[in-house]
Amino acid sequence: MKLFIKFDINTICSLYLKQNLELNNVNFTTLGFGEIEIEDNLDAEALDNLKTKLAPCGFEVVENQKSVLVQKIKDAIIELVFMDDSNNYKSSVFLAEKLNHSYGYLSNVFSEVTYSSIENFIILQKIERAKQLIIINEMSLTEIAFLLNYSSVAHLSTQFKNTTGITPSAFQRIIKKRRENLK
């Protein structure tokens, strides 16, 4: 039997991080997605041990200030893309207000560290969200395009195809076929 499971990656990451920190007796406060404050001073050995335990699942302690800012930009973009009312916000305004820096500065730092643009990262996240919504199969492509702040289904389709190599409709057919084959 195969099950289709809807999940929130942010919740999963937060729970995994919390469990690991508690298992290692680290007292902490969550400040935001991907940001915690450790209440006790960890010596170098304890910090290295924690890094080692978090690494297998892709967690990494970010120590460079520009890298920290880039991670905050990525987290804010993911937050924006996964908001149900994200079409009420312009991404540049949202990022500037959330991170208290000009969008130009954020864009420059992001490009310097990642060798890519904020706009490309937003597109990638929007396409990932579109794929999740298509898999869940509760919304039409028109509704998905509106939710993700696309001007039209054609705009969503163009970016989807440029990113994945197939159209959203083809992706829907593949998902539908897989479900039929599992029955």
Side-chain angles (χ1 to χ4, degrees):
M1 175 171 76
K2 199 168 212 175
L3 299 175
F4 294 93
I5 299 173
K6 179 179 175 180
F7 60 89
D8 177 11
I9 194 72
N10 295 340
T11 303
I12 292 167
C13 288
S14 295
L15 288 173
Y16 180 82
L17 185 60
K18 181 179 183 214
Q19 288 173 347
N20 264 282
L21 292 170
E22 287 174 352
L23 282 172
N24 287 288
N25 297 317
V26 176
N27 296 317
F28 68 98
T29 303
T30 302
L31 301 175
F33 181 69
E35 186 175 3
I36 62 168
E37 182 174 347
I38 297 177
E39 295 168 4
D40 305 319
N41 285 330
L42 294 181
D43 60 28
E45 183 180 338
L47 184 58
D48 285 342
N49 183 34
L50 183 61
K51 288 177 184 179
T52 302
K53 290 189 177 184
L54 294 175
C57 285
F59 288 91
E60 179 182 343
V61 176
V62 182
E63 299 179 56
N64 173 299
Q65 285 301 61
K66 286 186 177 180
S67 295
V68 169
L69 182 56
V70 167
Q71 189 59 51
K72 285 181 179 184
I73 293 168
K74 288 180 177 182
D75 294 342
I77 290 168
I78 291 167
E79 178 185 333
L80 176 64
V81 169
F82 282 82
M83 287 167 60
D84 288 333
D85 62 345
S86 66
N87 59 1
N88 294 333
Y89 299 97
K90 187 171 180 181
S91 57
S92 58
V93 173
F94 179 82
L95 291 172
E97 288 179 357
K98 178 139 184 101
L99 301 173
N100 297 317
H101 291 288
S102 74
Y103 181 75
Y105 175 74
L106 295 173
S107 180
N108 288 337
V109 170
F110 193 90
S111 296
E112 178 185 325
V113 173
T114 67
Y115 304 105
S116 183
S117 68
I118 286 177
E119 291 77 16
N120 285 339
F121 188 77
I122 291 170
I123 290 168
L124 291 173
Q125 294 308 310
K126 287 170 97 172
I127 298 307
E128 285 304 310
R129 176 73 196 263
K131 289 192 306 191
Q132 287 180 353
L133 293 169
I134 290 169
I135 291 169
I136 292 169
N137 199 26
E138 294 176 353
M139 301 173 82
S140 69
L141 289 179
T142 303
E143 292 169 323
I144 292 171
F146 177 77
L147 177 70
L148 296 176
N149 204 19
Y150 282 100
S151 57
S152 65
V153 175
H155 187 206
L156 166 62
S157 294
T158 300
Q159 284 192 346
F160 196 99
K161 185 168 184 173
N162 289 343
T163 303
T164 65
I166 61 173
T167 65
S169 301
F171 185 75
Q172 278 180 319
R173 286 191 296 275
I174 291 167
I175 298 301
K176 183 178 179 185
K177 195 71 158 169
R178 283 186 182 166
R179 287 183 178 150
E180 288 171 359
N181 289 339
L182 293 174
K183 291 182 182 179

